[in-house]
Amino acid sequence: MSAEATNPEAAPTDVAVRRRGRARIDLRRLGRAALLNATAGPAPRDRLPDAIGHVAEAHRAHHPEADLTVLGRAYVLAESSHRGQFRKSGEPYITHPLAVTLILAELGAETTTLTASLLHDTVEDTEVTLDQVRREFGDEVAYLVDGVTKVEKIDYGAAAEPETFRKMLVATGSDVRVMSIKLADRLHNMRTLGVMRPEKQARIAKVTRDVLIPLAERLGVQALKTELEDLVFAILHPEEYETTRALIADNPGAADELGAVAEQVTAVLREAGIGAEVLVRPRHFVSVHRVRLKRGELRGCDFGRLLVLVAEDADCYAVLGELHTCFTPVISEFKDFIAAPKFNLYQSLHTAIAAPDGAVAEVLIRTHRMHKVAEAGVVALGNPHVGQEPDGSLQGSDDGERVDPTRPGWLSRLLDWQQSAPDPDTFWTSLRADLAEDDEITVFRADGSTPGTISLPVGASCVDAAYAQHGEAAHACLGARVNGRLAPLSTVLGDGDTVQLLLAQDTVSGPSPEWLDHARTPAARIAITGWLQAHPESAAPPAAPTDPRPQPSVPADRRPGAELHADLDGEPPAVVRPAGCCTPVPPDEITGFRVRGGSVTVHRTRCSAVDAMRGLGREPVTVRWGDTAQGRVTLLAESFGRPGLLADLTEAIAACGAAVVSANVEPPSEQRVRHTYTLHLPDVAGLAALMKAMRDVPGVYDVSRAHHTRGLG
């Protein structure tokens, strides 16, 4: 199957050089074979119908031991049910399922996928029922056929297309072969789109661009993705397409220039004793267009890349070492997707080398297995209901569980959020936005729960992580610790970050409208929007102090603190009071200093003011605690802002028997609020219990003793 595109309205001579040697099958020839089969009756039991011979040949190339009997039965049912139907291009309709099946066969799809592909339009367009397919071909084939069958337009009206894609995606969540068939189906339809009206071509091309191409990229089916890109490029950007096509046609020697570099690379690897196959891969049209925009004027080597195929993973790095030793490497072009595979299963080493004549060639280095997965993605992985042994043979899992490496994080996220988007327009808009993300990151959960990782799109914030981990329970999220440090919910996460989400215990808390500014994933945006619509009062800005100066909410009183005594070597007794910067209480270690007026101020020994006093030459005064158990202390409470937090804190303080002398609340900053309380304790022995009670208030993440910097008198 070709990965190069043609203009849908162009003549066959306009076809660019193809990646594979197999020529595209002539649909008219397939149509004639189908009509001959229809008039000649069924083929003998010991051989396949002529029209499916090309499929059988391609299938056996990947699966030599495959049983082709079921393909013959599927073709007979498909041909007989579609008999008399014609495509708008004039060919018998059976040529479409044949072409779709051939695309998948050339990618290496297994027999069940090809069987379903032959039958994929029968339930939708003929009298064949799903039960009939199930009886004759089994549950798996029936599931795949049902997954790609469109919903009835008479039932869904304008929502039929979004709901059809929703149905396919849900089915893909259980079996990715559903989307493989859909992608091949769309590719063949795009190849023959030239018979449609221009406006319909544009509409189909836009959906292909926004939905199908990103899905092909995420499923790793590069062979389908690149040709779909070129076909969309030709329809939506005809002028740029023609410019690119002419540019390729005007540089017929590009392959020769790359071929010369390939010969040099082959010689170097042969001398090093590394068995490798070096191929020249022409770029497809969109790739050439992108390189032209990036580099301006193109040289011969810019029209393609070298592909080096080896047997083992270690050989990839051996090739890389030889290339970087014998040629001048372009270090900025080096990428290691073997040690860190892409989220769509893609693995390769990418580099670029400068040949002695100055030509720079990009090089892809991969094993044959990596190449198969890079081209065919999930199609190459076969049946997701069985595991794969290291030697490539398939074997079922012992516990009956589905072993499916093709269920990546992006698909799980998509399946989760689509349940919260019952409105087709919301689903359709969110789907396109979700698929527009080009890459994803993995963050680790700090709570040790399973699974231990969360997959998110690049640019996701703590808000997205909260909804990915906790669903609607994330409405009560107050903040997060990122890599062990407190961080606001707006923090953008990086690949490999460790995240701990902090949730309130009450059910009153909810998201603020500002969360939408930091939400990248549809799951988060849909959940936040739904909560805000259900709680319109929360959309109003929260009441917060507008004066940046501290606002005392409780006036100071004159209740005495703990009893303090100072030893002044026979001098008259002085007023001894605790310092306001650190508010010592028994049994803190304390140090006193004389201040203006002859009084003594008492600090905690570790207070920074003690070192400052000594630096000024002040002599410390011996002080000690008296017998009184009461005391006064200043506490700082660090919290995430939420409604009712101040009331909950003062209630917790009162429950511990402490009295509020004064309280200051600073204006919120990045969703965090600092409270300063000066409290009178009837018994300072209860300080630890008081601080714990304050920390237990939802939204409070730290309570500490105050340590202000004040004038030293």
Side-chain angles (χ1 to χ4, degrees):
M1 183 206 62
S2 166
E4 302 296 334
T6 64
N7 187 328
E9 297 180 354
T13 54
D14 289 337
V15 178
V17 177
R18 310 210 179 277
R19 286 188 190 169
R20 304 189 178 205
R22 187 189 301 275
R24 183 174 294 174
I25 299 300
D26 184 352
L27 291 181
R28 289 183 175 82
R29 184 155 53 87
L30 277 181
R32 287 195 298 271
L35 289 175
L36 286 173
N37 285 340
T39 57
R45 297 174 64 90
D46 59 346
R47 71 178 181 88
L48 291 172
D50 293 338
I52 202 174
H54 305 291
V55 173
E57 178 187 353
H59 187 38
R60 277 284 171 82
H62 293 276
H63 304 276
E65 303 300 322
D67 180 8
L68 302 180
T69 306
V70 67
L71 289 181
R73 291 195 292 113
Y75 170 77
V76 169
L77 177 59
E79 190 280 325
S80 61
S81 60
H82 287 298
R83 190 174 299 166
Q85 296 178 346
F86 292 87
R87 307 193 79 218
K88 291 189 177 179
S89 54
E91 292 91 8
Y93 194 88
I94 189 61
T95 60
H96 171 64
L98 275 172
V100 172
T101 306
L102 182 61
I103 290 170
L104 292 169
E106 291 185 335
L107 287 174
E110 37 68 60
T111 309
T112 302
T113 303
L114 301 186
T115 303
S117 177
L118 283 168
L119 301 169
H120 78 273
D121 276 339
T122 54
V123 174
E124 181 180 323
D125 295 334
T126 75
E127 298 299 319
V128 175
T129 66
L130 194 61
D131 287 338
Q132 183 179 348
V133 172
R134 184 177 291 107
R135 284 194 306 270
E136 296 193 28
F137 299 97
D139 290 337
E140 274 191 66
V141 172
Y143 183 87
L144 298 178
V145 171
D146 184 46
V148 295
T149 299
K150 297 177 184 177
V151 301
E152 292 290 344
K153 201 161 189 177
I154 192 171
D155 296 328
Y156 287 89
E161 186 172 40
E163 291 303 326
T164 293
F165 273 97
R166 189 202 297 265
K167 176 188 173 187
M168 288 181 192
L169 288 166
V170 171
T172 299
S174 295
D175 198 324
V176 292
R177 292 176 293 180
V178 171
M179 192 53 64
S180 300
I181 296 172
K182 177 59 183 177
L183 289 171
D185 172 66
R186 178 54 61 94
L187 175 57
H188 181 245
N189 283 332
M190 288 292 295
R191 285 176 177 175
T192 57
L193 204 59
V195 298
M196 300 284 188
R197 299 187 309 275
E199 59 271 20
K200 189 167 185 179
Q201 289 186 39
R203 184 186 68 79
I204 295 174
K206 287 176 181 177
V207 173
T208 303
R209 176 196 63 192
D210 295 344
V211 180
L212 273 304
I213 288 176
L215 284 171
E217 169 71 15
R218 280 157 175 72
L219 294 173
V221 195
Q222 293 297 320
L224 301 186
K225 178 216 170 191
T226 52
E227 187 172 352
L228 284 172
E229 281 185 328
D230 283 350
L231 291 164
V232 168
F233 186 39
I235 293 172
L236 297 183
H237 305 282
E239 293 182 2
E240 290 91 337
Y241 176 85
E242 285 300 326
T243 299
T244 304
R245 189 178 66 82
L247 189 62
I248 294 172
D250 292 342
N251 288 272
D256 295 336
E257 189 169 334
L258 268 173
V261 180
E263 290 178 2
Q264 297 176 45
V265 170
T266 300
V268 165
L269 298 181
R270 185 187 303 116
E271 184 176 348
I274 301 174
E277 183 180 1
V278 183
L279 306 173
V280 174
R281 284 171 64 91
R283 291 183 184 273
H284 64 106
F285 289 0
V286 170
S287 180
V288 172
H289 175 67
R290 289 169 179 162
V291 171
R292 185 174 66 85
L293 293 179
K294 177 182 177 181
R295 301 177 185 172
E297 185 177 353
L298 300 183
R299 300 181 60 179
C301 287
D302 293 329
F303 289 90
R305 294 186 286 189
L306 298 185
L307 172 64
V308 181
L309 298 177
V310 294
E312 304 292 338
D313 291 12
D315 294 337
C316 294
Y317 293 98
V319 170
L320 181 71
E322 291 297 325
L323 293 183
H324 283 194
T325 300
C326 299
F327 299 90
T328 302
V330 182
I331 300 301
S332 61
E333 297 291 331
F334 173 67
K335 296 182 180 66
D336 187 346
F337 294 118
I338 295 178
K342 287 188 176 183
F343 67 98
N344 61 359
L345 311 177
Y346 177 86
Q347 288 184 290
S348 277
L349 294 179
H350 289 203
T351 189
I353 56 173
D357 61 356
V360 176
E362 293 185 29
V363 186
L364 310 177
I365 309 168
R366 59 180 71 142
T367 66
H368 291 278
R369 178 188 58 82
M370 292 176 190
H371 181 58
K372 182 177 180 181
V373 175
E375 289 291 288
V378 296
V379 179
L381 297 177
N383 189 337
H385 297 274
V386 295
Q388 194 167 31
E389 297 295 327
D391 63 359
S393 60
L394 296 175
Q395 180 174 326
S397 57
D398 294 335
D399 56 5
E401 288 295 319
R402 176 172 171 273
V403 180
D404 185 4
T406 65
R407 177 72 178 272
W410 68 266
L411 182 54
S412 296
R413 288 198 312 272
L414 190 155
L415 295 175
D416 287 341
W417 68 252
Q418 66 86 22
Q419 297 178 6
S420 303
D423 175 49
D425 290 337
T426 301
F427 167 75
W428 199 228
T429 302
S430 300
L431 176 64
R432 294 183 182 213
D434 196 3
L435 294 176
E437 303 294 340
D438 292 331
D439 212 338
E440 72 175 28
I441 61 172
T442 299
V443 297
F444 296 89
R445 297 168 60 171
D447 55 7
S449 54
T450 303
T453 60
I454 306 172
S455 297
L456 296 168
V458 169
S461 68
C462 292
V463 172
D464 300 301
Y467 283 96
Q469 179 173 342
H470 297 291
E472 291 193 355
H475 293 331
C477 193
L478 300 168
R481 292 184 186 272
V482 178
N483 301 323
R485 296 186 176 184
L486 286 166
L489 290 175
S490 59
T491 301
V492 175
L493 299 170
D495 195 33
D497 282 347
T498 299
V499 183
Q500 178 185 0
L501 286 313
L502 308 175
L503 303 184
Q505 300 303 312
D506 61 81
T507 58
V508 178
S509 301
S512 68
E514 289 76 17
W515 287 22
L516 289 172
D517 297 333
H518 313 301
R520 291 289 298 274
T521 59
R525 298 190 64 83
I526 291 171
I528 295 168
T529 302
W531 194 92
L532 293 174
Q533 291 174 346
H535 302 78
E537 70 281 358
S538 64
T546 56
D547 190 338
R549 296 171 298 176
Q551 302 294 318
S553 58
V554 182
D557 69 3
R558 298 297 180 184
R559 278 185 277 192
E563 185 177 327
L564 285 164
H565 300 282
D567 295 332
L568 302 177
D569 297 327
E571 295 184 24
V575 176
V576 184
R577 63 172 185 265
C581 59
C582 58
T583 57
V585 294
D588 293 339
E589 294 183 10
I590 52 178
T591 300
F593 292 94
R594 286 184 179 273
V595 294
R596 294 189 186 99
S599 61
V600 175
T601 300
V602 179
H603 299 263
R604 283 190 279 163
T605 301
R606 296 182 179 180
C607 179
S608 60
V610 172
D611 293 335
M613 284 286 203
R614 284 175 172 161
L616 294 174
R618 303 283 183 89
E619 290 295 327
V621 175
T622 301
V623 289
R624 66 184 186 279
W625 295 109
D627 297 331
T628 305
Q630 62 181 329
R632 182 174 295 183
V633 65
T634 300
L635 300 178
L636 296 179
E638 303 278 354
S639 69
F640 296 104
R642 67 169 177 84
L645 178 61
L646 182 60
D648 291 344
L649 268 171
T650 54
E651 182 179 348
I653 292 169
C656 292
V660 179
V661 177
S662 65
N664 296 326
V665 181
E666 297 179 12
S669 175
E670 291 189 320
Q671 300 175 323
R672 289 185 280 185
V673 182
R674 171 178 290 201
H675 307 251
T676 304
Y677 296 95
T678 299
L679 307 173
H680 183 87
L681 281 65
D683 186 348
V684 294
L687 177 59
L690 170 63
M691 294 174 70
K692 181 180 184 303
M694 294 174 67
R695 289 191 189 100
D696 289 341
V697 173
V700 177
Y701 59 80
D702 193 22
V703 176
S704 60
R705 298 277 295 278
H707 194 81
H708 303 298
T709 300
R710 292 190 174 184
L712 301 177

